[in-house]
Amino acid sequence: MPIDELSMLSALYNLLWYPALPFALLAAHPANMRDYRERMGHGDFPEAAGAPRIWIHAASVGEIEAIRPVANGLLEHYPAAVLAITTMTAAGREAAMRRIPGAAAWMLAPLDNQRAVRSFLERVQPSMVLITETEIWPNYFIESARAGATIAVVNGRMSERSLRRYLRARGLFENALGRAALILTQSPQDARRYAEFDLAATVVVTGNTKIEAAQAQTANEESIRPELMAFAPGRKIFIAGSTAAGEDAVIAGAYRELRKDFPQLALTIAPRHLERTPEVEKALHAASLDYVKASQLNSPGAARDADVLILDTMGELRSFYRRGSIAFVGGSLAPGRGGQNPAEPALADVPVLIGPYHENQQQIVSSLVSSGGARIVKSASDIISETSQWLADDEARQRAGQRARAAVSAASGGARFALKQLEGLISLG
């Protein structure tokens, strides 16, 4: 595409930001002045000398977990590195503070408004910018390149639906992605979709950086607080993790039926977004199920006799999967979300159920299903059927959990491979 046409597309994109900015700020839900300032690129970045200076951007909690081994690996390889982590959500920002404690700053990401991005870059002054997964915001790429930063996409993925959307504004996204020096993708399918654009960047398949064999050991060493350990002692627990809107009612209905044959079965629901907790409560009320909430447990005995737990706290699901007997991984029963990552329950030796709409996790789900460590479910009746089979046969269930762990562990190493690729781009000058 001619340079003048690319410039016109970028200019049009930035022009549209003038009327869109108030609505974008409203949609971003800034809770306080700090959030507002960070969205406008005016976050308080501490003065910190060191090199390399790296801006890492991730969408939210799951993406932070995926980039964590890369970020911490960079800090280990380059002790003087200065990392600024941005996320699209406050929950992601909090997760970044916990999971990447060596960073210099953790902020909400600036809106992709040209002025906001430039203001942010002036404060952070990165020599390298790492954009994770699907966060292809044009000005992040264009303005970072203008500021002299080297840009890489890490753990990149692109669904067919996203590709079609990007191709509708091909010139704009080709212009943005064309500023990247390196694109590291989760799968060959993702690499093929990036190749639809005319890019000079090197595209390398690294695998999913979230999947690290050592991560399983770390998760198994993380303590579960006594209040959660006391929930349903000695009983099998069905965990529905990272659920999306509409899935809680399906899980609650399936659980009611399962209790007829397995009266001692307990249930835990962990919504993907904590602000959805009232929806989970509504679904449980509709199913006439009593529950306790993890956020309200103040003593080890508070949940001992409960049958249902809503895990409405941050950062506890990963370790709590060790208490599970079977896990359903959400964002997968209806189109639009692409499924959440099933690696965490699998690494805890827990067999996995996941819905048919898991295109964002296609490679790992295929491996899990092929190994016998996971099964695809399309409805409440499927969940009841598959769960019943595993609950009725402890040996088969435990064997499925072991196979799930083995399948995920076999796909590990993505973060180490990504680090090696990034080292070739880093300049300490």
Side-chain angles (χ1 to χ4, degrees), residues 154-173:
V154 182
N155 214 37
R157 59 181 173 86
M158 185 181 294
S159 67
E160 287 291 343
R161 193 174 79 162
S162 294
L163 174 62
R164 290 193 296 271
R165 186 170 68 247
Y166 294 143
L167 288 176
R168 285 198 289 269
R170 183 188 190 110
L172 177 64
F173 288 99

Side-chain angles (χ1 to χ4, degrees), residues 94-275:
E94 293 170 12
M97 293 176 69
R98 292 195 315 271
R99 303 296 285 160
I100 312 174
W106 311 266
M107 294 178 279
L108 292 180
L111 297 172
D112 198 40
N113 170 275
Q114 188 180 58
R115 181 176 295 180
V117 176
R118 285 182 177 180
S119 177
F120 174 83
L121 290 168
E122 286 171 4
R123 286 166 168 77
V124 177
Q125 298 181 340
S127 57
M128 171 173 277
V129 174
L130 304 183
I131 305 295
T132 69
E133 303 208 17
T134 61
E135 291 295 284
I136 305 176
W137 297 97
N139 277 324
Y140 285 14
F141 288 79
I142 294 169
E143 295 302 324
S144 293
R146 187 190 67 84
T150 301
I151 304 166
V153 175
V154 182
N155 214 37
R157 59 181 173 86
M158 185 181 294
S159 67
E160 287 291 343
R161 193 174 79 162
S162 294
L163 174 62
R164 290 193 296 271
R165 186 170 68 247
Y166 294 143
L167 288 176
R168 285 198 289 269
R170 183 188 190 110
L172 177 64
F173 288 99
E174 201 163 75
N175 185 23
L177 289 169
R179 312 304 175 100
L182 180 65
I183 296 174
L184 307 177
T185 70
Q186 296 186 21
S187 72
Q189 292 78 15
D190 295 309
R192 175 183 58 77
R193 291 169 192 136
Y194 273 101
E196 291 284 332
F197 299 92
D198 183 15
L199 305 177
T202 301
V203 180
V204 180
V205 179
T206 60
N208 193 330
T209 61
K210 188 174 184 178
I211 304 170
E212 290 298 302
Q215 180 182 338
Q217 182 63 32
T218 301
N220 286 334
E221 291 173 353
E222 289 180 354
S223 61
I224 303 173
R225 61 184 170 109
E227 292 84 354
L228 294 183
M229 282 298 296
F231 171 67
R235 296 164 58 184
K236 292 183 175 68
I237 304 175
F238 180 89
I239 300 179
S242 302
T243 59
E247 293 178 334
D248 313 298
V250 175
I251 295 298
Y255 174 69
R256 280 193 62 183
E257 292 301 311
L258 286 165
R259 284 288 300 272
K260 294 177 181 178
D261 292 323
F262 305 96
Q264 290 302 304
L265 182 66
L267 171 67
T268 296
I269 298 180
R272 176 70 176 85
H273 299 291
L274 298 187
E275 59 267 26

Side-chain angles (χ1 to χ4, degrees), residues 385-400:
S385 174
E386 301 293 355
T387 302
S388 295
Q389 290 182 42
W390 272 331
L391 290 175
D393 189 338
D394 285 345
E395 185 177 341
R397 177 175 52 80
Q398 291 165 6
R399 188 165 57 247

Side-chain angles (χ1 to χ4, degrees), residues 309-321:
L309 169 71
I310 300 177
L311 195 59
D312 62 337
T313 51
M314 284 296 303
E316 296 193 298
L317 176 59
R318 187 170 75 133
S319 59
F320 192 75
Y321 272 128

Side-chain angles (χ1 to χ4, degrees), residues 288-305:
S288 301
L289 294 171
D290 294 328
Y291 59 86
V292 294
K293 295 199 290 186
S295 61
Q296 297 177 352
L297 299 180
N298 51 22
S299 68
R304 191 177 303 277
D305 298 324

